[in-house]
Every structure is written in C-alpha cells, then in structure tokens.
C-alpha cells in the first residue's frame, strides 16, 4: 500500500516561486510514489475576506496552475476544500478539544493579526484547526510543506495524540516533509522576510504567470548588499536567496554555481538567473494557457477530484461522530 500524501494551498493573491519551490515542486515529485491528494483551500482563503468573484476565479486559476506545474490528475486527486463539507464539520469537533493555549502560540496568527488588526477574525485564529481537519480526514502520512507551516503540523500532531488518547485510535499521525533547500524563499525586495502572497509590493515576488520582462525587471531590482563576491553565504541573505533560486531551477551543485560566477558581479548573476527562471517557468505558462484555453475542461476536472476524495472524508467523519457521541 502506498503512503498517503496530503497538502494544501490557498487561492489568494498570486502563486509565486516560493510556493513552487517550497511546496508544489515536491508534490509533483512525490505523486508516483505516494497516494497523493492536493487541496485548494478556499475556506482558508476566506479568512482574508476576498472579493467573492475574485475568490472563485482564483480557485479555478490555481487548479489549472497546479496541473500546469505537473500535478497529474490521473495520479493525484486535486479538489476544492469547500466542495467537501466534512472539512468544516470535523473542524468543529477538533475545536472542542483544542485548548486556547495551543492556538495562542501560533506565530502565523500572531504575525498576521499584528499586521492587519481589523482583519484578525475568528476564522484566522481557528485556521490551524481547519488545517488539521484537512489532513486528518484522509489518514495522511506525509504533508509536504514550506517551513512556515511546520508549527501548524505540530499542532495537528498534538490534536492526533489528544483525540486518540481520549477516544481511542482514530487518526493517523502525520509528518511534515520540508525540503532541505527552498523551504523558505525570501522576498526579493526584502530578503529578511519570507516571500508571501499577501505582500503586494511590485518587486516582492516572482509569480508563476509573470511575463519574461516582469521577471527580468524584478530580479534586476532585487535587494542585495554592497559586496561583490557571489558565494552561498547565509549571512548575506539577498545574494543567498538568489543563489538558492538559481540552484533549485538549474539542479547544479553549490560548488558548480560558485565556480560559474567566480569573478563576475551581482548584475551578471541577476541576468543569468532571470533567463533560468524564465525558461523554468515557460513550460508551466504554456500548459496553463492550453488548459485554460479549453472551455469547461478545468471545471470537469474539479468535479472529478471531489468525487475521488469525498467517500474517504465522509467515512472518517462518520467514525469521528460515532466516537464523540454525535448523532
Ligand atoms: P499557502 O497557500 O500559504 O502556501 C502553500 C505552500 O507554499 C509554501 N510556501 C513557501 N515555501 C517556501 N518559501 C516561501 N516563501 C513560501 N511561501 C509559502 C507553504 O509552506 C505551503 O506549503 N495553511 C496552508 C495551506 C493548507 C495546508 C493544509 C497545507 C491548508 N490546509 C493542509 C498542508 C496541509 C497555507 O496557507 O499555505
């Protein structure tokens, strides 16, 4: 029996190379060896109250984009979270056994609520419980994510321990899988901050659907330092981040990369990197145009995805209801 992989991504803002290198690329690589499920988490996205039309459009765009990145809908199930109501129902049950203290420790909530006080709603606070429900409904073994989600995975593991100890063995214990390189791609405009969908600065992120000229312009403006040597040095976060992106798009080793840029300046690296990223994203962009060009195709595949996952979700939820005494 293949192990189960589950991961999710929010249809907010634009999907950027941080999402791609930190998560989606791993998903694509894992789908042969694992029984894989990928979820477009539109209910998580609702916590930032996007415009309704935009949320719907972004959900569909993201679906096509995941397939364009190489997620194969024959091998993996790809579906939209709100289409399976068991996610919301299980969240409520989990809410009732998660102590407030566990939630109060979540750094992502603390960060987000500090930055956008008026937007810090109950949904945002409860976000990790919904994420735990996503994972636990499908008896997930492995959850490939970027570094920013590790704390949420720890909470999910605590929920499993608590639930299983109160009600008996029910949920599978999931494990986070974080890539050794690329788990935290930094903003181009500020390499001390994670590249993020919610940052709107023009030079912050390279989005997967950016045209070549935009990619060149963003990389040429990327913040570095006043030194000149091109070397993998984590203490120089700007140049380190650019080199990591180069490493992940080319597959070259660090010594090979440093040798290639020996004696060449930052400007030269940025130019080369732009071409590598443009070429790396070209097949994704071409497939995306093909997929979205065929009217109704994405919609049909979305419906297929739901029908593949729904029975498992409902079975798990029924077992949980029985255990806790609902019904
Ligand atoms: P989201 O939509 O913010 O991000 C999707 C994935 O991209 C990773 N990521 C990054 N990796 C490297 N560098 C970055 N700068 C970067 N920014 C984002 C994230 O770690 C994530 O893996 N809560 C999740 C979605 C979710 C989920 C789940 C994930 C909901 N339910 C269940 C796993 C399992 C989120 O907001 O991801």
């Amino acid at each position: 029996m293949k192990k189960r992989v589950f991961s999710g991504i929010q249809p907010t803002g634009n999907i950027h190379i941080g999402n791609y290198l930190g998560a989606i690329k791993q998903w694509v690589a894992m789908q042969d060896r694992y029984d894989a499920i990928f979820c477009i988490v539109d209910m998580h996205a609702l916590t930032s109250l996007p415009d309704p039309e935009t949320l719907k459009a972004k959900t569909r765009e993201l679906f096509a984009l995941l397939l364009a990145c190489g997620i194969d809908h024959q091998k993996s199930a790809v579906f939209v979270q709100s289409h399976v109501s068991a996610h919301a129902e299980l969240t409520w049950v989990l809410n009732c056994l998660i102590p407030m203290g566990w939630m109060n420790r979540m750094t992502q909530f603390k960060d987000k609520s500090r930055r956008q006080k008026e937007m810090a709603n109950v949904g945002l606070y409860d976000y990790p419980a919904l994420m735990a429900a996503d994972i636990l409904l499908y008896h997930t073994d492995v959850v490939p994510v970027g570094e920013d989600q590790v704390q949420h995975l720890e909470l999910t593991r605590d929920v499993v321990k608590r639930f299983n100890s109160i009600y008996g063995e029910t949920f599978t214990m999931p494990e986070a899988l974080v890539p050794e390189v690329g788990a935290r791609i930094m903003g181009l405009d500020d390499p001390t901050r994670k590249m993020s969908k919610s940052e709107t600065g023009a030079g912050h992120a390279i989005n997967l659907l950016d045209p070549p000229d935009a990619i060149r312009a963003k990389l040429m403006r990327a913040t570095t330092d006043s030194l000149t040597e091109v070397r993998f040095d984590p203490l120089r976060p700007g140049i380190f981040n650019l080199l990591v992106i180069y490493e992940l798009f080319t597959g070259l080793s660090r010594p090979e990369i440093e040798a290639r840029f020996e004696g060449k300046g930052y400007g030269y690296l940025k130019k080369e990197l732009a071409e590598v990223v443009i070429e790396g994203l070209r097949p994704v962009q071409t497939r995306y145009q093909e997929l979205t060009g065929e009217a109704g195709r994405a919609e049909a595949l979305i419906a297929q995805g739901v029908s593949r996952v729904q029975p498992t979700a409902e079975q798990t939820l029924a077992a949980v209801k029985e255990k806790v005494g609902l019904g």
Side-chain angles (χ1 to χ4, degrees):
M1 272 259 289
K2 284 183 180 172
K3 285 195 168 181
R4 165 70 42 83
V5 156
F6 181 98
S7 202
I9 182 164
Q10 288 194 69
T12 37
N14 290 314
I15 306 303
H16 51 66
I17 57 169
N19 300 125
Y20 179 66
L21 300 173
I24 302 171
K25 205 163 158 249
Q26 274 57 251
W27 303 358
V28 173
M30 293 174 90
Q31 44 181 1
D32 285 320
R33 284 176 294 126
Y34 291 86
D35 178 5
I37 303 179
F38 302 114
C39 183
I40 296 173
V41 294
D42 55 345
M43 295 199 299
H44 278 109
L46 195 58
T47 60
S48 60
L49 282 191
D51 164 68
E53 288 304 317
T54 309
L55 178 57
K56 274 211 160 185
K58 285 280 169 194
T59 298
R60 272 128 198 96
E61 175 187 304
L62 181 51
F63 188 88
L65 200 48
L66 290 180
L67 300 191
C69 285
I71 302 291
D72 180 342
H73 69 95
Q74 312 264 13
K75 295 181 191 159
S76 309
V78 189
F79 75 105
V80 178
Q81 187 184 37
S82 66
H83 295 180
V84 181
S85 61
H87 290 247
E89 293 180 66
L90 180 59
T91 301
W92 183 256
V93 176
L94 301 184
N95 278 340
C96 297
L97 62 107
I98 298 175
M100 300 270 286
W102 293 6
M103 290 297 199
N104 292 341
R105 284 203 294 273
M106 295 295 113
T107 54
Q108 203 163 70
F109 175 75
K110 283 196 259 184
D111 272 6
K112 285 195 182 173
S113 55
R114 203 177 303 126
R115 273 190 280 134
Q116 24 172 320
K117 272 209 171 61
E118 72 286 3
M119 288 303 292
N121 52 46
V122 178
L124 189 63
Y125 183 71
D126 200 33
Y127 183 114
L130 178 57
M131 185 163 158
D134 298 341
I135 296 167
L136 299 181
L137 278 175
Y138 302 99
H139 311 293
T140 303
D141 299 295
V142 186
V143 186
V145 283
E147 198 181 276
D148 60 338
Q149 298 302 320
V150 169
Q151 195 185 32
H152 296 155
L153 253 293
E154 287 305 319
L155 183 119
T156 306
R157 290 170 59 87
D158 288 341
V159 169
V160 172
K161 278 184 216 139
R162 193 176 178 109
F163 192 100
N164 288 356
S165 79
I166 299 174
Y167 298 105
E169 205 57 28
T170 309
F171 293 128
T172 304
M173 184 63 81
E175 240 172 81
L177 185 81
V178 180
E180 263 171 48
V181 179
R184 194 173 171 81
I185 300 294
M186 308 307 277
L188 299 179
D189 54 347
D190 178 359
T192 62
R193 294 182 59 160
K194 180 190 76 156
M195 189 176 281
S196 156
K197 283 192 230 116
S198 48
E199 292 280 340
T200 49
H204 174 74
I206 295 176
N207 302 317
L208 297 195
L209 295 175
D210 274 350
D213 282 345
I215 297 175
R216 286 191 192 98
K218 287 177 182 179
L219 281 170
M220 293 316 289
R221 278 202 312 269
T223 303
T224 49
D225 52 50
S226 55
L227 301 173
T228 52
E229 196 192 359
V230 177
R231 200 158 47 79
F232 280 89
D233 176 1
L235 296 177
R236 288 154 58 194
I239 209 71
F240 185 77
N241 191 40
L242 297 183
L243 284 170
V244 164
I245 297 170
Y246 190 90
E247 177 184 7
L248 291 168
F249 270 101
T250 60
L252 293 173
S253 72
R254 292 188 173 186
E256 280 172 323
I257 295 169
E258 287 179 345
R260 176 169 296 211
F261 293 108
E262 171 125 40
K264 311 246 170 62
Y266 289 178
Y268 184 83
L269 166 69
K270 286 176 168 180
K271 273 205 192 96
E272 286 269 298
L273 176 59
E275 297 317 307
V276 160
V277 173
I278 290 166
E279 285 317 308
L281 294 183
R282 196 186 300 280
V284 173
Q285 298 187 350
T286 308
R287 276 197 299 266
Y288 178 81
Q289 301 308 344
E290 286 165 8
L291 263 164
T292 49
E294 276 179 63
R297 181 158 153 78
E299 214 57 47
L301 294 177
I302 289 179
Q304 239 180 49
V306 184
S307 61
R308 278 170 70 180
V309 300
Q310 195 140 31
T312 309
E314 278 174 4
Q315 230 174 36
T316 309
L317 182 66
V320 167
K321 282 181 163 174
E322 184 61 35
K323 293 224 174 179
V324 302
L326 289 176

